[in-house]
Amino acid sequence: MSSPVETKPKRNPAWKRRLWQAVPVAVLTGFAAAAFVWGPGMAAEARAGTDFGARIACSCHYVAGRPIDQCRADFEPGMTMVRLSVDEEAQEVTASVPMLASTRARYREGWGCVLEQWSG
């Protein structure tokens, strides 16, 4: 009878383990650097887009009486990331770019659609 041959499990060399540990750190560092460099400009553009989107969609819906899904036709090119939501009870439209900016515009009799007060 022969004895079974024992095989040792293969182990990754140390350098491969260190490489796989370094990859997530490098990716996160890259994202952090990109957010630091381009973040303020992106946030400002998102805020401008939501301001415009909220005002235009509110006027389209409450002043012109069009359905909110038709109001997107009045947006400028490049505003595909702006999302709209409507609160019929409060007569307001919220435009948002996820994780960057959000703006509300409320319909006021005699005034039309007015943007919310900027908080800073």
Side-chain angles (χ1 to χ4, degrees):
M1 252 166 105
S2 65
S3 64
V5 176
E6 290 186 31
T7 59
K8 291 184 180 180
K10 289 187 177 181
R11 297 182 66 190
N12 286 340
W15 68 270
K16 285 185 178 179
R17 277 182 296 195
R18 283 194 298 270
L19 177 66
W20 281 110
Q21 291 169 350
V23 168
V25 172
V27 169
L28 289 175
T29 302
F31 281 135
F36 179 75
V37 172
W38 292 297
M42 287 174 44
E45 288 185 24
R47 178 62 189 228
T50 59
D51 289 351
F52 180 84
R55 172 67 172 73
I56 294 300
C58 180
S59 295
C60 167
H61 186 62
Y62 291 110
V63 177
R66 293 168 42 203
I68 197 70
D69 55 337
Q70 289 182 4
C71 296
R72 197 167 262 295
D74 297 340
F75 281 11
E76 293 294 320
M79 293 184 62
T80 55
M81 290 190 70
V82 176
R83 304 288 178 243
L84 297 174
S85 62
V86 178
D87 182 349
E88 295 291 350
E89 187 175 312
Q91 290 189 318
E92 66 184 24
V93 173
T94 302
S96 63
V97 174
M99 299 190 310
L100 288 176
S102 180
T103 304
R104 272 194 317 256
R106 177 174 286 155
Y107 175 74
R108 293 176 52 195
E109 189 67 41
W111 291 81
C113 288
V114 180
L115 291 177
E116 68 180 356
Q117 184 71 29
W118 279 15
S119 60

